[in-house]
Amino acid sequence: MRFDDFDPDALSAGERHRVYLEVGSHLDGQPLGVPLLCARSRQRGPTLVVLACVHGDEYEGMAAIHEVFRRLEPGRLRGTVLAVPTLNLPAAAAVHRFSPIDHLNLARVFPGRPDGTVTERIAYHTDRHLIARADLLVDLHSAGSRYSMPTLCGYCTLGDAIGERSGAAARAFGAPVVWQHNEVPPGRTLSAAHERGIPSVYAETTGGTWLRAADVEVYVRGVLNLMRHLAILDGPLEPGPPPLLLEGSGNLDFAITAEVSGYLRNAVGLLDAVAKGDLLGTVHDPWGDPVQEIRAPQSGRVVMRRETPLVLVGEVAYALTGDKGPDPEARSRR
């Protein structure tokens, strides 16, 4: 089915559906597109849109969506769930962050272009035909193949009603860390949602291109919690631990990079609190001699750490963010 022809209201209610939405074709003429899972109730209600595998080396969200749909009973829903387990099929096939077809980062080209490259067309149709239908968007990421991150749910706020609703959803997700960003970086799924006045959240977890059952289960619980948050599902939220609240830019394009190439040995762990000037890690040359000490440019907590030892000049090594402490609302919600 062409993306332009997709209408969830035309799908039979009270059932689960699998739809392949085409955006173009491969060199061999076979259709290239996006696999969509849809569960639609007989009762009208909100729409939750869930995206995963925007980057091709992040599979936790894909596994979580598959598990959520195995558990769903459409007859018990009140509304619609539209979920894409693998939004970026070309990148996923290459186990790479970017598409091997046009070498673009899908998480930087929203809202895309209808006449653009494959990645730009995926972004365009996702924004126009999926995000635009959402009452809430959740984008499931992870640290990918070279890094690690704590399990978290993040959101953007400009002090407006959209940000407040996004923050409430981030807390409802139930991740052990909630990360607030006081800006909306361009090109993201969340920025596309914000432009449409739609609340949105994203999630991150360990990464490494292999699946950990605990990471997947946090995502499964989080998606089900968001369905309860929207009243698509009945019942109370399944709470996680009282979350640690972080604040700061979520734009990891401007994280701490290596100034030389070599082999990186980490001196800090995820969520470690560091002060300005603290040692984060050391880059060594092939003989084992240190050639760069990477130090914290400001105080904060470690939210991303490079795990692949070989690092090239200019590549990201660490990311820090501010610490707001424990969530003061957590006790009242338990």
Side-chain angles (χ1 to χ4, degrees):
M1 177 187 296
R2 287 172 48 85
F3 241 123
D4 287 332
D5 298 327
F6 174 63
D7 179 7
D9 292 337
L11 301 176
S12 55
E15 298 180 18
R16 289 177 290 188
H17 300 271
R18 299 177 180 179
V19 184
Y20 191 74
L21 302 173
E22 298 177 19
V23 298
S25 61
H26 291 282
L27 291 176
D28 62 2
Q30 295 301 309
L32 173 63
V34 171
L36 174 75
L37 296 170
C38 174
R40 185 167 166 263
S41 74
R42 293 186 173 87
Q43 304 178 62
R44 301 195 70 83
T47 296
L48 175 66
V49 172
V50 189
L51 306 177
C53 216
V54 169
H55 294 130
D57 58 350
E58 302 174 7
Y59 299 114
E60 292 85 347
M62 173 193 68
I65 287 174
H66 291 161
E67 181 59 28
V68 166
F69 265 76
R70 275 192 286 269
R71 298 184 191 184
L72 280 188
E73 299 178 40
R76 299 179 60 185
L77 304 183
R78 187 183 300 107
T80 302
V81 179
L82 301 174
V84 179
T86 314
L87 187 64
N88 197 341
L89 278 173
V95 195
H96 201 278
R97 184 173 173 84
F98 303 159
S99 170
I101 298 175
D102 54 20
H103 306 287
L104 292 180
N105 182 347
L106 179 55
R108 300 295 183 272
V109 300
F110 277 83
R113 294 191 301 140
D115 58 348
T117 67
V118 166
T119 301
E120 291 171 322
R121 279 181 278 154
I122 291 173
Y124 172 81
H125 289 292
T126 300
D127 175 45
R128 183 181 181 189
H129 298 291
L130 298 181
I131 294 175
R133 289 186 162 97
D135 291 285
L136 175 65
L137 167 71
V138 55
D139 190 352
L140 301 174
H141 285 261
S142 76
S145 58
R146 298 184 178 184
Y147 301 91
S148 63
M149 294 185 71
T151 301
L152 63 88
C153 190
Y155 70 100
C156 300
T157 178
L158 300 178
D160 53 10
I162 302 170
E164 290 181 4
R165 292 163 63 194
S166 299
R171 289 169 171 80
F173 189 88
V177 177
V178 172
W179 194 1
Q180 173 185 311
H181 314 302
N182 296 320
E183 61 180 359
V184 185
R188 274 67 164 181
T189 57
L190 269 64
S191 58
H194 193 272
E195 285 293 316
R196 294 182 177 276
I198 296 168
S200 57
V201 300
Y202 74 97
E204 300 279 4
T205 193
T206 314
T209 68
W210 59 87
L211 296 175
R212 299 166 181 83
D215 293 344
V216 175
E217 188 55 35
V218 170
Y219 276 15
V220 170
R221 185 186 69 208
V223 172
L224 294 174
N225 272 344
L226 292 180
M227 293 172 65
R228 298 182 185 104
H229 177 71
L230 291 176
I232 294 174
L233 273 180
D234 288 331
L237 302 182
E238 183 181 339
L244 173 68
L245 300 184
L246 302 178
E247 184 174 10
S249 173
N251 191 349
L252 300 180
D253 291 345
F254 299 101
I256 303 165
T257 59
E259 297 176 358
V260 295
S261 298
Y263 296 89
L264 176 64
R265 297 179 186 174
N266 293 311
V268 291
L270 290 177
L271 295 179
D272 280 358
V274 297
K276 182 177 180 179
D278 282 355
L279 180 66
L280 303 177
T282 303
V283 181
H284 296 78
D285 66 18
W287 291 272
D289 294 327
V291 289
Q292 182 196 357
E293 290 185 341
I294 302 178
R295 294 187 175 273
Q298 76 275 336
S299 62
R301 284 186 183 266
V302 179
V303 290
M304 187 173 73
R305 187 180 81 164
R306 187 180 182 91
E307 300 297 345
T308 304
L310 177 62
V311 61
L312 302 180
V313 59
E315 289 188 330
V316 170
Y318 305 95
L320 305 179
T321 194
D323 182 359
K324 294 180 68 178
D327 182 1
E329 300 179 13
R331 185 176 300 276
S332 64
R333 293 197 304 270
R334 290 179 69 82

